[in-house]
Amino acid sequence: MIYVFQLLLTAVLVLTSLSASSEGEAQHRWEMMNQIRKEKFDLVLPEVMRENGVEMWITVNREGYDDPLTEDFGKGYVGGWGYYIFTYREEDFGKGRVERVALGIGTHLIEENGAYDYTTEGEFDLAAFVAERDPKTIALNYAEHIGGADGLTLTGYRHLQSTLGKKYSERFVSAEKLASDFRSRRVATEIAAFARAGEMSRKIAETAFSNEVITPGVTTLADVAWWMREQQFANNLGTSFGMPSVYITGPDGFVALSDDHVIQRGDFLAIDWGVGYLNFYTDMKRQAYVLKEGETEVPASIQKAFDNGRKVRDILKANIKAGRTAGETYDLMNEKINAAGFTVMEKFNQPTDDPGVVDVIIGCHSVGNLGHGIGPSIAWFNPERMKYMIHPSNLFSIELFAYTAIPEWGNKKLRVPLEDDAVVTERGVEWVYPVTNRVLVIR
């Protein structure tokens, strides 16, 4: 309960400060990232280095090239080679602290962010620094399965081999699992910031699917997508996936996607997108129906299809728990879905022709520092991360696709995609902003 209280208090403080004024926003965001960085280094990094048996972690930057984890560690100017180095030596195990230094990485911002024991922009001896600490393992950012942990270039790897010599080169290990654990285990300030990103993402998406933006017979899908991009630009927000996916689904599947197709009455619309705020990126979906002349509400068949999706979502939310692997959770949820009278699909987007069957497939993936994060993933498209354990504070995009027969379509099936972001706590899954509970109506 103490953790939850601290989380809620932090969220209130963050949202209050953000709503007060846009003046000083750049400095505010820098200060937020500093706090997140310090807490991650103090609370998360010792735990994950110990669990992964890593005594030193080196992340390499060069002028003109940043590792994917650079934003996590604090950006600074690199004139040649630069290194973020974290050391957790055997004699320090149990003391709960990691030494953190930034070598060859300058500017006032990284010097003043308070997260590092030592920073230097000038000359340094990397080989002597490593030899003095004599780590048994040195984790580097190369990864077979996770692109967000695969930032070390071949040139950078060879440079470290040459600089550190054979003795320490033989101690190199992949930081793939370490990076995943470091990013996906969250401190309270991170969750508060991510919730803020989710709320901004939700408001933009829901306004996009309204008569404020859409005039049936006039507005194109591209008009909606560009309007959303303009909102990101106006609010200094990044983008999780580039152009928002704004699309129409009909009896034969996709009709059109973010193009010059004009939105018509009777269309079923969906948005799939995310925004970037600080170092956090959301992933969510929204749905809308464009009323036909004479209609006052969503047709019963479409409402039923949406409600089927919500029922499946309830199953997912009730069965994601810390302490199980993502793969164990995936199998359990599919069993629960089948037991509830739905049918789990074998392949994505290939529902059965049986109108009596509601076909379902789930893809609950990690989210957070990327729209598709690098933590444990309850999704068929991340098989390696299905092996990872789910921990409290992991952020997930709770995603599913439910296919329900529509009588007006000759019993062809409507795909209802639901997706919103949540955090795993000791109690289970908790949403971090208001999720979709209705088909939005465009009149």
Side-chain angles (χ1 to χ4, degrees):
M1 289 302 295
I2 293 175
Y3 170 80
V4 174
F5 174 77
Q6 290 174 332
L7 171 58
L8 292 174
L9 177 60
T10 303
V12 169
L13 292 173
V14 170
L15 296 177
T16 300
S17 64
L18 282 171
S19 62
S21 171
S22 60
E23 185 176 352
E25 178 67 8
Q27 183 173 354
H28 169 78
R29 294 191 185 195
W30 177 72
E31 291 172 349
M32 276 290 294
M33 283 304 299
N34 288 345
Q35 180 169 318
I36 289 169
R37 195 170 295 117
K38 287 186 285 187
E39 291 182 346
K40 292 278 277 193
F41 289 176
D42 288 342
L43 303 174
V44 176
L45 193 51
E47 176 182 279
V48 298
M49 289 185 74
R50 182 172 58 248
E51 287 181 15
N52 287 278
V54 171
E55 293 193 5
M56 179 175 282
W57 185 11
I58 301 178
T59 294
V60 179
N61 274 15
R62 296 186 73 182
E63 183 175 32
Y65 177 78
D66 287 343
D67 185 276
L69 293 168
T70 298
E71 194 69 50
D72 302 61
F73 298 152
K75 300 190 73 170
Y77 175 69
V78 179
W81 293 94
Y83 313 89
Y84 301 99
I85 305 178
F86 306 98
T87 307
Y88 196 33
R89 291 171 293 181
E90 186 68 33
E91 59 267 28
D92 295 325
F93 281 10
K95 295 182 180 179
R97 192 177 191 284
V98 170
E99 177 193 51
R100 63 295 292 263
V101 302
L103 303 181
I105 301 170
T107 74
H108 175 74
L109 294 183
I110 194 167
E111 293 167 3
E112 296 298 317
N113 70 18
Y116 286 92
D117 299 321
Y118 176 71
T119 65
T120 177
E121 188 174 4
E123 293 296 320
F124 59 88
D125 189 333
L126 178 63
F129 179 91
V130 173
E132 181 181 349
R133 287 149 183 79
D134 193 27
K136 295 182 177 63
T137 53
I138 302 174
L140 305 178
N141 295 348
Y142 59 87
E144 181 178 354
H145 303 285
I146 302 176
D150 194 32
L152 183 64
T153 65
L154 176 61
T155 303
Y157 185 85
R158 289 172 175 169
H159 170 76
L160 288 176
Q161 284 183 312
S162 173
T163 302
L164 300 183
K166 184 174 185 294
K167 175 181 177 180
Y168 291 107
S169 296
E170 291 177 347
R171 302 180 187 185
F172 291 167
V173 297
S174 168
E176 181 172 56
K177 180 63 163 51
L178 173 63
S180 172
D181 289 339
F182 174 73
R183 266 196 162 177
S184 63
R185 297 188 201 177
R186 307 295 177 177
V187 295
T189 320
E190 282 186 287
I191 300 171
F194 183 79
R196 173 63 177 166
E199 179 63 11
M200 290 187 285
S201 182
R202 175 185 79 91
K203 285 186 175 181
I204 293 170
E206 292 181 1
T207 303
F209 275 173
S210 74
N211 287 104
E212 182 178 332
V213 176
I214 295 175
T215 300
V218 176
T219 308
T220 68
L221 296 175
D223 290 336
V224 179
W226 278 115
W227 181 88
M228 295 173 73
R229 289 290 282 145
E230 287 297 330
Q231 301 312 301
Q232 290 176 302
F233 184 79
N235 289 281
N236 296 309
L237 300 174
T239 176
S240 300
F241 305 106
M243 195 69 162
S245 294
V246 183
Y247 58 93
I248 298 170
T249 299
D252 297 313
F254 275 117
V255 175
L257 171 65
S258 298
D259 61 11
D260 60 0
H261 185 95
V262 177
I263 297 168
Q264 303 291 344
R265 296 193 177 277
D267 284 343
F268 185 81
L269 305 173
I271 286 171
D272 188 355
W273 89 312
V275 307
Y277 168 69
L278 298 174
N279 189 29
F280 303 100
Y281 293 82
T282 63
D283 188 9
M284 66 174 62
K285 295 179 174 67
R286 288 295 182 269
Q287 302 75 35
Y289 176 76
V290 186
L291 296 179
K292 295 179 181 178
E293 295 293 345
E295 289 182 329
T296 59
E297 60 185 17
V298 176
S301 57
I302 291 179
Q303 185 62 54
K304 179 180 179 181
F306 183 81
D307 291 342
N308 283 335
R310 288 184 61 193
K311 290 175 184 177
V312 175
R313 186 178 67 188
D314 288 343
I315 295 172
L316 304 187
K317 187 172 183 291
N319 288 283
I320 298 177
K321 306 286 185 183
R324 287 194 292 253
T325 68
E328 290 168 344
T329 303
Y330 181 79
D331 292 340
L332 174 64
M333 291 197 302
N334 282 336
E335 289 176 10
K336 297 285 187 179
I337 290 167
N338 284 328
F342 304 102
T343 299
V344 175
M345 297 165 52
E346 292 186 5
K347 293 185 178 181
F348 178 60
N349 244 8
Q350 295 185 22
T352 64
D353 293 329
D354 187 343
V357 170
V358 177
D359 302 281
V360 173
I361 195 163
I362 62 175
C364 301
H365 58 81
S366 172
V367 72
N369 303 101
L370 297 165
H372 283 195
I374 68 173
S377 186
I378 313 168
W380 80 94
F381 47 81
N382 293 141
E384 177 65 23
R385 281 174 280 153
M386 292 268 267
K387 304 172 187 175
Y388 292 2
M389 189 68 69
I390 297 173
H391 291 269
S393 80
N394 287 162
L395 292 167
F396 278 96
S397 195
I398 309 301
E399 182 177 23
L400 67 97
F401 302 84
Y403 301 72
T404 302
I406 304 297
E408 301 95 304
W409 292 359
N411 281 328
K412 290 188 176 181
K413 293 183 177 179
L414 170 64
R415 186 183 84 164
V416 172
L418 297 185
E419 183 174 28
D420 275 297
D421 301 329
V423 61
V424 178
T425 72
E426 291 84 353
R427 292 184 295 269
V429 167
E430 301 180 28
W431 302 116
V432 295
Y433 55 79
V435 300
T436 183
N437 282 312
R438 69 189 190 282
V439 179
L440 301 169
V441 172
I442 299 167
R443 302 184 184 280

